Amino acid sequence: MTVNSEPTPQSAPQPAPRVRSANIRDVAKMAGVSHQTVSRVINGHPSLREGTRQRVLDAMEALQFRPNRAARSLVTSRSHMIGVLVTDGTYFGPASTRAAIESAAAAAGYLVDTATLTSLDEAAFKEALERLIDHAVEGLIILAPQETTLRQLRHLSVKLPMVTVHSTSPADDHGLSVDQVAGARLATRHLLDLGHRNIAHVAGPDGWVESKERVRGFRTELAAWGVDAFRIATGDWTSDSGFRIGEELFASNAPTAVFSANDQMALGLMHACRERGLRIPEDVSLVGFDDIPDAAHFAPPLTTVRQDFTELGRRCVAHLLAQLEVPVGDAPRTVVPELIVRQSTAAHR
């Protein structure tokens, strides 16, 4: 007798049934209220008993129910969305400010929709702006610190509440900024106080508001002391540009001190100093700007001007929400920078 030894085919494992997310009616059933009452709780309706409100909130928590923001906006005509327009989020300053804006917005119950400019021409600017408006943002934060974008913004008729970061126009009643001139003067004054008179400045790229303001602060402080600038060279915010400028700057008749418009270019300057056999701070004192997290670990640790990007982002959101009639307290329009003295500067010998 022949015995069939082939294994009996087994049925394929069945997928586990999908678990349906809780909806507003599930919350209403658990809380013992109508779904209209749940909707009123979600939208902050004032005429609810506290006990009823708490039962609904407890049910939402137990069911892990999260209100659908799109559905909520249909009820309230509010999207609770802030639009942020940025030109380049890769640099430390804009990236830090954007992160701070997102954090402050979340704390206030808002989401952030970001549009990044692909170029600085007017068509790209209008396209990015229109995309944000099409997404029903309630207000705009313009994190595009180039003079070109700020000019374009003034030419457009934008009806939404708005905050512009780093705007320096006295007529701009919605501009916020770190006081770049004051920061540059702090850096320059520190070097002058140490006895340096041959002081160079490595500026940021043309067209950036911060670059222009830091050059102005550098010149203003030197003039107050009756000192001429040793040299002003233009970089592009990168350590590579700092290195290239440093190679030429330190080739002969080098300055005794340099104020760099940001910390990355200061890092390149340090490299150029070492290549030329110059010591920091014995031969050249060096000051940066921004106080990036790595600045304290440069060799030597970098003296720099600290910008409080967290505070700048918080004030951006506060001023925008104030325009939306959300009371958030008063917040000055200018953030004052701070000089952080480390081992990269010393008295002129």
Side-chain angles (χ1 to χ4, degrees):
M1 181 176 63
T2 303
V3 178
N4 188 353
S5 60
E6 292 183 4
T8 303
Q10 296 182 357
S11 59
Q14 298 298 312
R18 292 184 62 184
V19 178
R20 178 179 62 82
S21 299
N23 60 35
I24 194 169
R25 295 185 183 277
D26 297 324
V27 175
K29 183 177 180 180
M30 176 175 281
V33 299
S34 69
H35 71 273
Q36 291 93 339
T37 298
V38 176
S39 179
R40 292 189 186 101
V41 171
I42 292 171
N43 295 302
H45 201 283
S47 61
L48 285 170
R49 293 178 180 177
E50 189 55 38
T52 302
R53 186 189 308 277
Q54 192 57 52
R55 287 206 316 276
V56 172
L57 293 174
D58 290 343
M60 290 170 62
E61 184 64 27
L63 294 171
Q64 296 185 345
F65 172 74
R66 298 293 179 266
N68 184 290
R69 187 172 291 269
R72 178 177 175 179
S73 68
L74 291 175
V75 175
T76 62
S77 298
R78 298 283 304 276
S79 68
H80 284 78
M81 186 84 70
I82 292 173
V84 176
L85 184 65
V86 298
T87 47
D88 194 325
T90 61
Y91 293 114
F92 178 73
S96 300
T97 305
R98 175 181 165 184
I101 288 169
E102 291 175 349
S103 178
Y110 283 74
L111 292 177
V112 171
D113 187 7
T114 301
T116 302
L117 289 173
T118 55
S119 71
L120 297 183
D121 63 55
E122 185 176 353
F125 187 86
K126 290 178 68 175
E127 180 182 353
L129 198 59
E130 288 171 0
R131 186 182 76 77
L132 291 174
I133 294 172
D134 288 345
H135 287 188
V137 297
E138 294 187 34
L140 294 167
I141 297 176
I142 310 299
L143 187 55
Q146 287 87 5
E147 294 173 319
T148 300
T149 57
L150 295 175
R151 281 196 303 271
Q152 290 170 352
L153 186 63
R154 286 193 289 269
H155 293 156
L156 296 174
S157 178
V158 181
K159 304 300 183 183
L160 288 176
M162 180 171 52
V163 168
T164 56
V165 183
H166 297 309
S167 175
T168 58
S169 170
D172 188 356
D173 58 0
H174 43 65
L176 279 83
S177 66
V178 174
D179 193 335
Q180 307 292 331
V181 172
R185 294 193 68 170
L186 281 174
T188 309
R189 188 180 310 137
H190 174 64
L191 295 172
L192 290 164
D193 282 338
L194 291 172
H196 296 279
R197 295 297 179 266
N198 292 337
I199 306 172
H201 177 48
V202 177
D206 293 335
W208 284 66
V209 174
E210 296 105 314
S211 300
K212 184 177 180 179
E213 294 298 286
R214 290 171 199 173
V215 169
R216 184 157 71 93
F218 174 67
R219 290 187 182 278
T220 300
E221 190 62 28
L222 288 179
W225 287 64
V227 175
D228 293 327
F230 180 87
R231 183 181 169 188
I232 298 177
T234 300
D236 63 7
W237 299 130
T238 67
S239 53
D240 281 345
S241 71
F243 177 73
R244 290 193 300 270
I245 292 169
E247 282 188 308
E248 181 183 350
L249 193 61
F250 303 132
S252 62
N253 190 29
T256 66
V258 182
F259 164 41
S260 172
N262 77 338
D263 294 342
Q264 284 93 341
M265 292 191 298
L267 179 61
L269 288 164
M270 283 185 169
H271 183 190
C273 276
R274 287 193 296 271
E275 290 291 308
R276 293 290 177 180
L278 298 173
R279 300 165 300 165
I280 299 174
E282 292 85 356
D283 301 314
V284 179
S285 283
L286 183 59
V287 180
F289 207 106
D290 284 340
D291 193 28
I292 63 174
D294 293 337
H297 306 290
F298 286 5
L302 182 66
T303 295
T304 186
V305 177
R306 176 180 294 165
Q307 301 193 78
D308 192 340
F309 295 110
T310 299
E311 179 63 13
L312 180 61
R314 187 192 71 80
R315 292 189 193 182
C316 285
V317 173
H319 277 286
L320 188 61
L321 296 187
Q323 295 178 59
L324 295 170
E325 299 181 356
V326 180
V328 289
D330 188 32
R333 293 185 177 278
T334 303
V335 178
V336 179
E338 175 188 6
L339 180 70
I340 307 299
V341 179
R342 298 193 179 102
Q343 287 76 49
S344 68
T345 52
H348 177 53
R349 296 186 298 176

